[in-house]
Amino acid sequence: MINVYALCTGSIELDRASMVSDLEPGQPWTVPVTSFLVSHPRGKLLFDTGVHCQARLDPLTRLGAERMKRLTVKSQAGDDVVPQLATLGLHPEDIRYVANSHLHFDHCGGNEFFPRATFLVQRPELESARRPGFVPSYSPSPIDFDHPLDYRTIDGEHDVFGDGSVILFPTYGHTPGHQSLRVRSGKQAEIVCASDACYTRENMDRDVLPKILWNASVMSESLAALRKLRDQAGATMFYGHDPAQWQATPRAPAPVL
Ligand SMILES: [Zn+2]
């Protein structure tokens, strides 16, 4: 029996045009930050760890003045990964695997709370994060990911539990080594957690990229592959930061699968 739960691990206000690049700038927009907990008979996988709780309490120290010009953390108390897991009766030591879609601050801020987990990250993502300036336009904050954790780099598609039910797969472009998650459970339809390979349904439906990206043509290819999973393979798509979808999504402790 496999279950998947959606967790609220933050809330951020930013300019809508930064996410949907052909819109008029100047429209503030509050978007959810989400993580997913996959419960599999062989262990639990957490996909993304959200915004660190310090970003809500002391944003200047955590995020820095430059980043605060572009966004505001709007999270409420409890909107971070450890209390969210507690809604499922889980503690950090119950998590066997953590997979980061990528290493932007709102996807790996809670990594440090999982010192006993094995971290699964695409090789180009970790290698570029560890060499600041190596990849232009990509320099994630060491304070979020650079802890003494058991990082295992993976190359391309990765079958987490070896039975084809929980698959990490590359969706590069937003960052050099972004990955998404596919979960299949019995006869039920498959779900895909796109993370920032597709911020919102609008990005996919209108084929519009965000402003925040590493490589536009690579990201376009990833977006097209995700669209195929949704429109041809019938997968249910969870977008990375889609307020309308989040409103309609069952939250933990209710499962989405
Ligand atoms: Zn991102």
Side-chain angles (χ1 to χ4, degrees):
M1 175 83 171
I2 296 169
N3 284 117
V4 181
Y5 303 88
L7 312 176
C8 174
T9 50
S11 184
I12 295 172
E13 184 186 274
L14 38 57
D15 191 332
R16 190 165 186 163
S18 69
M19 304 189 75
V20 183
S21 59
D22 64 353
L23 299 180
E24 273 300 306
Q27 302 175 56
W29 208 34
T30 299
V31 303
V33 176
T34 55
S35 299
F36 290 88
L37 189 279
V38 181
S39 180
H40 184 281
R42 288 182 209 146
K44 293 181 171 50
L45 166 84
L46 178 65
F47 183 64
D48 282 341
T49 62
V51 177
H52 194 284
C53 43
Q54 187 191 15
R56 173 170 59 84
L57 303 168
D58 183 6
L60 190 59
T61 302
R62 186 76 196 186
L63 303 176
E66 242 345 274
R67 208 184 270 146
M68 284 182 67
K69 287 181 196 161
R70 299 195 305 271
L71 60 90
T72 309
V73 173
K74 295 278 188 178
S75 311
Q76 306 290 313
D79 288 352
D80 44 79
V81 69
V82 175
Q84 286 288 303
L85 287 172
T87 66
L88 293 164
L90 297 174
H91 303 283
E93 54 270 26
D94 298 320
I95 306 304
R96 181 173 176 193
Y97 297 110
V98 176
N100 293 121
S101 61
H102 63 305
L103 298 173
H104 279 153
F105 81 101
D106 53 331
H107 295 264
C108 67
N111 278 15
E112 66 171 283
F113 300 115
F114 299 90
R116 291 166 66 175
T118 298
F119 283 73
L120 304 171
V121 182
Q122 293 287 329
R123 182 179 301 280
E125 187 68 19
L126 196 61
E127 287 185 350
S128 46
R130 283 178 167 164
R131 296 175 69 182
F134 179 62
V135 174
S137 81
Y138 188 54
S139 49
S141 304
I143 195 175
D144 288 315
F145 73 90
D146 196 7
H147 300 281
L149 300 167
D150 180 17
Y151 282 110
R152 308 263 173 100
T153 50
I154 56 179
D155 291 294
E157 197 161 292
H158 179 74
D159 182 346
V160 178
F161 296 103
D163 63 357
S165 62
V166 181
I167 307 282
L168 294 165
F169 62 104
T171 43
Y172 300 166
H174 175 65
T175 60
H178 188 285
Q179 63 183 348
S180 302
L181 171 71
R182 244 172 36 223
V183 182
R184 200 176 289 141
S185 176
K187 289 179 190 151
Q188 294 181 57
E190 182 173 62
I191 69 163
V192 173
C193 303
S195 195
D196 288 3
C198 185
Y199 280 146
T200 69
R201 182 181 185 105
E202 185 176 3
N203 294 95
M204 189 173 283
D205 287 354
R206 294 205 293 111
D207 200 18
V208 183
L209 296 182
K211 284 185 182 155
I212 308 156
L213 53 75
W214 160 68
N215 183 310
S217 62
V218 173
M219 189 170 186
S220 278
E221 281 174 28
S222 296
L223 184 59
L226 287 167
R227 189 183 298 106
K228 261 190 187 168
L229 287 175
R230 185 190 70 174
D231 295 346
Q232 293 176 28
T236 299
M237 188 66 54
F238 287 96
Y239 307 97
H241 296 281
D242 189 317
Q245 181 179 49
W246 186 239
Q247 282 302 319
T249 299
R251 319 281 168 85
V256 295
L257 179 72

